[in-house]
Amino acid sequence: MTVATAKPKAPPGRFGRFLKTAAIIFESRVATIGLFMVLFWIVAGLISLVWTPHDPNASDFMINQGSSAQNWLGTDALGRDVFSRVMAGTQVILLKTRIPDINWFGSFTTPNFVMPGGVAIWGVLGSLTLGSVLGLNAGYRGGWWDQAISQVMDALIAFPRIVLYLVVIAALGTGDLVMVLAISITGAPGIARLARSLALDIKTRDYIRAAETRGEGKTYIMFKEILPNALGPLLVDAMLRVGYAIFTIGTLGFLGVGLPPPEPDWGSMIADSRKFMRSTLYPILAPAFAISSLVIGLNLFADGLREEITRFQK
Amino acid sequence: MARFIFRSIISTIVTMLLVSITLFILLEFERPSVAKERPCSGIIRKILGIMATPEQCVSFRNQLGIDQPLPLRYVDWLAGNDWRAESKTGYPLVTLDNLNSGEEEWWMEVDGRYMQFEIDGEDLVALVRQEDGFVEREVMNDLWRPNDDGAGEQFWGVDNKGRAVKWLLGSGKTAFISTQTGWQEIDNAPDDYLPLRKGMLRGDPGFSLRTNRPVNSQIFRRIRNTALLAGLAFAVVMPLALVLGIVAGVNEGKLIDRVISVGGLFGTATPEFVTGMLLILVFAIWLKMFPAVSVFTTDKLSLSDWKKFALPVLTLTTVELGYIIRMTRASMVEVMNTSYIRTAIIKGMPFKRVVFKHAIRNALMAPITIIMLHVNWLIGGIVVVEAIFGYPGLGTYIYDSAIFGDVNALEASAMVTVLVAVVTRLLGDLAYTYLNPRIRYS
């Protein structure tokens, strides 16, 4: 760690402390590379909210064209600009979640409410919340709590992930909120396991003894004493899970049961362009590259961060 | 050790039960008020489409038997309902193989003869099964019994679609049945239906809603096909991944390690469908070596069609290679840093001998058992790859069933995948405990 001697003003503010913590990222080359790969797509998505070269949903051009000065990555089978669509494809994953009207006659109504934060982000936040609550209870309370929670988590882990997704989708249909729910459910057991093992470790520490002697309640100890100390590894794990979630959203989109249109989605872009593989490759290669690079970026970022944190702890 | 095995097996059984409950509730739970107000909601809407009328949906629900309470249906699904139906019909119910298709059919045994029933006007007609498998029609009006409330006459019997049904004499009730040509309204329909099944525990998941044939007639073939594909992929992946992992682990930090590790990361971080697309592009479109889909013209898959297996196997290999390499590499690195290996090197033993004689044996134990613990992850990959290439295995079956809303088939096939995952995990646990004395008695 670089020692911050340059600031004699004693306690740095919240933001200052955050910056200092964030500086860990740049100590690891792997994490830095990962961070920039992820930032690239976030920035691309943010820009696409206000500007894309062309309207991503408008069939303005000839179909299945190659790269040109007008369409940098060509056009797809409906004559839409691939570059704009790849840019805008970041939105549903990372930047916005569409909450549709309650309408029983089909899902093709315009969503009346858009929530900031993408499907992958909300899904992982959901599994982080669910998983850590369950895991902390199992680890700290022990006994029957542990038995029961671990058994249920084991059952959920036993499902091949994609099968569980397909089951949830068969039961609840497709949609942004269903996807958030599915990601939360499938991700929770893994996080619960991690939280449980962290809680088992942390609860033997002296400061937990001290809190117990003070007469603090169990909930207080779990969420005010254990959770802050377990947060680092949990967040790193959550970061990896954002990668898995993007991966799965892509796969389900490819299988035709992912996020609903009209917003472009990388997985369904590939599925739609598959039939025209012999004419043009851009609508397949561009989103494929997008998914892979985003997932690899998140992986690198999380791996590097984990290495740095564990070194720090040792 | 015996106690450990016992505990693991019990825990596995509990896990399976929990899985089955989760699956059942996810797919079949409905609030009764919702089901009453909007009979077409949920999975029924999915199967019947948006044009179905509420009357049709109510009739369809009755035919599927899903108007009964959830716990009862769960017991039916798990343990069968023929015993429940027998108490209603008063005669034993048996399954006999259809001599043409080989599929099981339900018959009611009346005085030593096997019968199914239908209604013709006011007459109750028995279809009596002959030795040669054909049926003869016989009017059997003496089987009518007094109604529950004593107002008329009723009969509980087996119809020719594998359901226990209740007819009321002269009720004139109509039902909507879905046929290939669309919806049909039939007269003299039964009042109540109870689709017969032996239950999952006795190996009968019931009828597929998509094909109207027993799930069993499909699923075993699908499992075999998937096992074939998985076996082929396994045979390719394992040796390759272990060798590459060992090479990377021995040369930790060198260029070759970086190349293998980063290559593996790319393989794993690229979704299966992207890898599949790229391989199709290269091998099917540019090189024209292998077909781009694995569609078979016969039920019996054979390896003489090996070209059709090539791309699915290659995709699975690329996707799963990186993961196993990473395991093997980590294990190898750990072993290479132990003091006994250092001792062997320092005492002047040839490096090759150290690696092959001392390191590998210990290093391979961990990845092989860890792989067994992660079989559900591998199954997930196979599901996607099958769906990409249209390979007729369990994965496409799950996918098609999920799209259609075929809950019986979906539950059965999901249970199969979970069973495989859980059993291999159990075996992996046991193997690990057996091979590693340090954790055996803790």
Side-chain angles (χ1 to χ4, degrees), chain B residues 148-209:
Chain B
D148 296 334
D149 49 11
E153 304 219 311
Q154 67 164 13
F155 173 69
W156 267 100
V158 175
D159 74 353
N160 56 5
K161 292 199 177 63
R163 300 177 297 208
V165 295
K166 180 169 89 173
W167 278 289
L168 295 176
L169 182 59
S171 71
K173 194 178 164 90
T174 56
F176 292 93
I177 55 168
S178 162
T179 64
Q180 283 185 331
T181 50
W183 281 94
Q184 232 176 24
E185 193 173 358
I186 55 162
D187 290 334
N188 295 320
D191 185 55
D192 201 5
Y193 294 85
L194 184 65
L196 291 168
R197 55 190 354 167
K198 287 182 184 168
M200 289 296 286
L201 289 178
R202 289 191 282 160
D204 175 20
F207 271 70
S208 159
L209 305 182

Side-chain angles (χ1 to χ4, degrees), chain B residues 61-110:
Chain B
R61 277 169 177 275
N62 189 10
Q63 290 169 48
L64 292 183
I66 55 178
D67 45 359
Q68 302 175 60
L70 190 79
L72 193 61
R73 279 193 283 139
Y74 177 72
V75 174
D76 282 358
W77 177 72
L78 197 67
N81 56 8
D82 44 344
W83 42 277
R84 205 149 64 80
E86 269 174 16
S87 71
K88 288 185 168 166
T89 59
Y91 293 98
L93 302 173
V94 291
T95 54
L96 299 171
D97 285 351
N98 183 317
L99 294 183
N100 281 325
S101 64
E103 290 164 11
E104 285 191 337
E105 290 175 333
W106 284 94
W107 296 83
M108 194 162 107
E109 195 180 343
V110 183

